[in-house]
Amino acid sequence: ILGVMSPDIISQTYRNYVDQRELSQLQGDSKRTLAQITAYLDDALKPSIALFNGATYADAWDRAGVMDANTTNYLVWLDKDTASQRGVWSDASSRVVPGYSGIADVENSTANAIVTPACDLTTVDTMQSDLSDMAVWSAGGAYRTALYFVYANADGTVQQRFWAAPGSAVFRVSGVTGSNTINLLDAPDQISDQYYLSFGASGLHVVGTTLQLIEGFRPWNGQNVFNGRAHILATDVESFEIWNESEAGLLRLKLCLRNPVTSINGKIVFCREAAVLR
């Protein structure tokens, strides 16, 4: 009896070991991938997070039901520049010099010239040029940067507010004057005393079984995800779903990964969820 059973017991023990090893791999991969995604979304301009179907945008925070980010559906957002706001260390002054303050002097600003005290916009230019190997403000008619007012221009659809060119809440930067004045190509109807700079937009979707991050496109220049650069975030993706809980102000994400189908025990799927606070 032992002679007959032993091979089966050994085989099952080995299969259980393989299952646990592959499940552990899926758990680790899903955790790391969702940590990356939530970090991107935490640095996004939160009201700009939208769903894109290849033609139009819809507010992700107001969507009813679950959306599967597949080949034709994208989760997109405007990236908020935080590195330039933090600034860089200055040996001359022995302190961190902020690139931009994020505060607009409303009283002394005009519609096309936003005065922003206590900053050094030349530092922003230097930092972003180092990161992207290009001039920041504008070059050859292409506007590299847009300004977003936090407490203004909240009316309209998400497409009108963020994804139309020019939008009513995102304004193209044509250049700077001195170290503390941002010149806008499009005059806003209203400005507020807090703003952010954006240097581009990003998106996520699944192609086949690969989750891709698409970055580097600028909607204020009429671009969308098809003009961006794609990078692989995860492989062997079963699904990637997005839905909102508007009462709680949460955007929920669900990522399901699977093991390679060549596994001796067949397909194993592990799902993990994460949430982004509005």
Side-chain angles (χ1 to χ4, degrees), residues 108-127:
N108 293 308
S109 296
T110 63
N112 292 89
I114 308 302
V115 177
T116 173
C119 66
D120 183 1
L121 295 174
T122 57
T123 300
V124 179
D125 201 12
T126 300
M127 290 181 65

Side-chain angles (χ1 to χ4, degrees), residues 39-204:
Y40 290 133
L41 293 176
D42 282 337
D43 277 343
L45 292 172
K46 295 293 181 63
S48 74
I49 300 176
L51 307 172
F52 180 59
N53 65 4
T56 59
Y57 297 87
D59 194 337
W61 300 100
D62 292 334
R63 180 184 174 85
V66 176
M67 189 198 82
D68 187 14
N70 52 35
T71 303
T72 57
N73 293 322
Y74 300 78
L75 178 69
V76 294
W77 63 91
L78 292 180
D79 295 305
K80 179 175 62 181
D81 175 45
T82 54
S84 298
Q85 190 172 24
R86 287 193 296 266
V88 295
W89 176 262
S90 170
D91 290 331
S93 57
S94 299
R95 65 182 180 90
V96 173
V97 178
Y100 69 92
S101 64
I103 303 297
D105 182 349
V106 176
E107 182 177 352
N108 293 308
S109 296
T110 63
N112 292 89
I114 308 302
V115 177
T116 173
C119 66
D120 183 1
L121 295 174
T122 57
T123 300
V124 179
D125 201 12
T126 300
M127 290 181 65
Q128 294 301 325
S129 295
D130 289 344
L131 291 172
S132 60
D133 195 29
M134 65 176 65
V136 170
W137 309 113
S138 62
Y143 299 94
R144 312 291 188 185
T145 311
L147 184 147
Y148 162 69
F149 291 109
V150 176
Y151 298 115
N153 307 292
D155 297 332
T157 66
V158 68
Q159 180 156 316
Q160 292 168 335
R161 286 184 283 127
F162 297 98
W163 301 97
S168 61
V170 182
F171 302 93
R172 293 173 287 184
V173 176
S174 59
V176 298
T177 300
S179 63
N180 68 345
T181 301
I182 300 174
N183 301 318
L184 303 180
L185 182 69
D186 314 295
D189 296 330
Q190 179 185 2
I191 66 174
S192 65
D193 58 0
Q194 186 177 355
Y195 70 88
Y196 285 106
L197 292 178
S198 176
F199 293 97
S202 300
L204 291 168

Side-chain angles (χ1 to χ4, degrees), residues 23 26-31 34 236-241 243 253-259 268-274:
L23 182 60
L26 294 177
Q27 291 173 334
D29 290 346
S30 62
K31 182 178 181 180
L34 281 177
D236 298 317
V237 176
E238 182 78 2
S239 63
F240 178 56
E241 298 175 335
W243 69 98
L253 313 167
K254 182 179 180 181
L255 176 66
C256 295
L257 300 182
R258 70 189 189 199
N259 64 330
I268 300 173
V269 177
F270 178 81
C271 299
R272 185 184 294 272
E273 293 186 16

